[in-house]
Amino acid sequence: MEGADAAVIDWLLAGDPAVRWQTRRDLLDEPPALWAADRAQVALTGWGAQLLAQQDPAGTWGGGLYSPKWISTTYTLLTLRHLGLPPDNAQAQEGCMLLLEKGFYRDGGINFFKSYKFSETCVTGMVLALLSYFQCRDERVPQIVTHLLGQQMEDGGWNCERPRGATHGSFHTTLSVLEALHEYVQLAPDGASAVQTAVDRAHEFLWQHRLYRSHRTGQVADPDLIRIFFPPRWRYDFLRALDYFQAVNAPADDRMTDAVQLLLSKQTPDGRWKQGTNWAGQVFFYMEKVGQPGRWNTLRGLRVLRWWRRSEIRTRARVKNVSPSGGMSE
């Protein structure tokens, strides 16, 4: 397999069904017919089945919509989305409808907080990602998209603190919204053109920051941004950003080179990546051990590198075929 040792691939394939099916799709280029059975197993065995079993009779997880962290409905469904639970799963769809019914706010976004008189942009992005991934075809979903587009800031990012006076985009909020818009256009391809300008501006925002640096000083904006851990919860990190760009098959912009080199520096000699320290909070269970080789980080790291190398090749080919005058070379 391109860019990975066969032993690492075998190790990934020996893991949970969620890791197996994504390894087959993203690293082995197998057609859906070969990984569909593994994907279906996410709901039946392993981590996915364990999370689904925690749903309570009310249809929620952890007894709440957004809290307690990290066992609430929102965060459990976010993890199930990362696992690749089949989108037509009835339990997940029930949970999504509760988020929509209880959270849809008069300004068109999502608000779970009684003290807020406005929708929270980061939460709105996360919920839109869930509604779109789990195929909620409700008329309020496009309204949420419109709300988010209206919240984009002048620098191209989004920030949940904007109603309180923030003037600069947030790494965390921007990526949550970008992931949501990507999921939305999978659900509603006809809506792609309406969001593309906003997406392009947000990509530029992250590229100007080289995915984790201050655009003013060039220094690491926050040490937490260069940690790698799974699941990410609401937190941004450079690997989550790179994984987003590979998911949308973005061009290999040179301003991501620094982040790719950082990813390579964290790879262990045996071709894997370790599980980082988890964020404090309640969990139903831990999927992987901190400090030990982690299948999630290894899978994500390998598919990022695979995309990056292929994207670089495409970029070089385009440059080679365009003459200095702007015409096509022979």
Side-chain angles (χ1 to χ4, degrees), residues 3-15:
D5 187 274
V8 176
I9 296 300
D10 289 343
W11 175 69
L12 291 173
L13 292 174

Side-chain angles (χ1 to χ4, degrees), residues 45 72 267 285 306 311:
T45 63
S72 67
Q267 189 176 25
F285 57 89
R306 197 163 192 248
S311 188

Side-chain angles (χ1 to χ4, degrees), residues 62 67-72 75 233 279-286:
S67 60
K69 297 175 180 174
W70 309 107
I71 60 172
S72 67
Y75 286 103
R233 314 302 186 186
W279 295 107
Q282 298 182 61
V283 297
F284 292 119
F285 57 89
Y286 290 107

